Structure formats: structure tokens, C-alpha cells
Amino acid sequence: MFDFTGKVAVVTGGARGIGRCISERFAEAGASVCVIDLLQNDYFVGDIADRETLERFAEKVISDYGRVDYLINNAAPKMCGITEGSYEDFEHALKVGVTAPFYLSKLFMPYFVKGGSIVNISSSRDRMSQPETESYTAAKGGISALTHALAVSLCGKVRVNSVSPGWIDTAYRMHEGADAVQQPVGRVGVPADISNMVLYLCSDMAGFITGENICIDGGMTRQMIYHGDFGWILDKNK
């Protein structure tokens, strides 16, 4: 469906989970893929929370290819809450989730090919929360806002969009019962649900889309739930 022959795709956090699926899909479509991850991979191992690491990574990509067509800011920040999370935990989450995407966009700005695309991976947590998730939620909210700011600043050269996944099981387990039926589509998501949208947003088919956030969550954030609905009972003692 997609042909990215001769294109260069940069994927942060591309060695596992959703990032790995995105990287594999780009490679299958003919792109050269440049991954940065803390985990071992074939291109670059490093912590994107570190400024010098980002600079060395960008230098390698430009030295190897001289251009960037697609930047996928996927690396996930640490999740910690207000009770146990430290200043350093929160700061690191924002470095991974917001600062690194901003800085990589800046470093690659002179090298983006006209018609290129940035896709930021946010989360449905950018609009809803569970207790004790402040660092992750703040980072995801930040990257969603960063998306439309970059879309305006880079207009005419690079389209910038974000994708907000809901529950995506990167272990590809089969979920039945309440886990499945609580989602309007009747199942839990898989990484391909996200990678398909990422490749679409990078393709010419999405040429009129920029500054958008697309939530892919099986409809969970659209389903209103009240006490007593579908057997759901609020117990404040738990």
C-alpha cells in the first residue's frame, strides 16, 4: 500500500513495542530507517533525554543520508505520580516526551525534504487520566500541544501531526471479556493499528493534513460511563 523507496525515516524508541512495529513497516515499504533507543538495535543506542546524545545521533543520520523525510517521535517517558515521583523523575519524563522531540525537530529542520512529515506519538492520556500518572500524562499533553505549534512553524515544508494511542497491547495477547467489550470496537489494540496511521500520515495521501491529533483508542474516550452503566459500580473504598 505504501512505497517509501529512497526515503529516510527516523524513529525514536524504535527497538520495541509500537516503535519497532513502525520501524519494521517503514523498512518493508522501502525506507532507510534510523532508530535511536536505549535497547540494542542496528543503528544507534542512546538516551534521548541527553542533549549531546541527540546531537551525535542527528550528526550520524545526516552523515549517513544527508536528509530526513520522516521523523517519528515515539520514545515513551517514564510514568510516575505525585506521591512517589521525584523532581528528577518528572524532569526526565519531560525531556524524553517533549524536549527531545522539539530538539530533534530543530536539529533536522535544515535537512527535512520538502513534503516530509513529523509524527509525534502522544496518548489518549493527553485528555484523560488515572491516579499517579502525572509525569507521563504531562509529557503526552505537551507533545500534543507541541504538534500544532510545530505544524505552524514548519508550514510549507513539513507536515506535523500526532497520534494518540489508547490501550495497545505490544505483547499481542488475546483479550476477552470485559477488557475487550469495554472498548466500542470490541477488542484491545495492537501496534499495527498505530503504525498503519503513522505511515498514512507520512504518505502523500495525507498531504492536506497537518497540526492534527488523531486518537486511536477503539472509541474508549468517546464512550460515556456513569455509575451503574454496563455493570460498572464506583466503590470509593477501593
Side-chain angles (χ1 to χ4, degrees):
M1 182 176 181
F2 301 108
D3 183 3
F4 295 119
T5 302
K7 307 294 187 181
V8 178
V10 174
V11 184
T12 70
R16 60 181 167 183
I18 292 172
R20 180 174 180 176
C21 185
I22 292 169
S23 299
E24 291 174 346
R25 289 295 309 280
F26 267 121
E28 290 168 2
S32 298
V33 183
C34 305
V35 167
I36 181 171
D37 201 302
L38 285 170
L39 297 179
Q40 189 62 44
N41 64 84
D42 293 335
Y43 194 77
F44 195 99
V45 175
D47 183 357
I48 68 168
D50 178 68
R51 175 179 177 174
E52 291 184 0
T53 297
L54 292 174
E55 291 170 349
R56 288 190 292 108
F57 172 64
E59 288 172 2
K60 176 173 172 54
V61 172
I62 299 309
S63 175
D64 289 346
Y65 297 102
R67 60 182 280 173
V68 174
D69 294 274
Y70 315 117
L71 169 61
I72 315 302
N73 290 304
N74 164 79
K78 179 179 181 180
M79 184 181 290
C80 64
I82 194 166
T83 303
E84 300 295 335
S86 67
Y87 179 94
E88 290 75 18
D89 289 336
F90 195 86
E91 182 180 49
H92 188 273
L94 294 185
K95 284 182 177 180
V96 171
V98 184
T99 306
F102 164 78
Y103 198 44
L104 284 177
S105 299
K106 182 177 179 67
L107 291 171
F108 289 133
M109 188 165 58
Y111 304 99
F112 278 117
V113 175
K114 186 174 177 60
S117 182
I118 298 173
V119 180
N120 298 319
I121 305 301
S122 183
S123 168
S124 59
R125 293 175 187 269
D126 64 3
R127 66 205 69 189
M128 58 192 296
S129 295
Q130 291 175 299
E132 302 296 332
T133 62
E134 280 75 16
S135 68
Y136 187 89
T137 300
K140 292 307 185 180
I143 200 170
S144 291
L146 178 66
T147 295
H148 55 75
L150 286 174
V152 174
S153 295
L154 300 178
C155 66
K157 185 168 186 179
V158 180
R159 293 180 298 102
V160 187
N161 293 287
S162 60
V163 174
S164 289
W167 182 0
I168 306 296
D169 190 336
T170 57
Y172 297 92
R173 292 167 293 197
M174 179 64 68
H175 293 268
E176 299 177 343
D179 286 341
V181 300
Q182 70 177 327
Q183 318 213 30
V185 299
R187 68 173 175 86
V188 172
V190 296
D193 292 320
I194 308 306
S195 64
N196 288 339
M197 179 56 70
V198 170
L199 267 68
Y200 169 74
L201 289 172
C202 289
S203 74
D204 292 339
M205 290 183 285
F208 200 56
I209 303 174
T210 193
E212 286 298 318
N213 175 277
I214 300 172
C215 187
I216 304 177
D217 68 344
M220 283 195 72
T221 55
R222 296 305 186 196
Q223 179 168 283
M224 297 178 69
I225 299 178
Y226 291 92
H227 176 76
D229 280 356
F230 310 110
W232 186 86
I233 303 297
L234 175 62
D235 185 349
K236 292 184 178 180
N237 297 317
K238 291 185 178 181

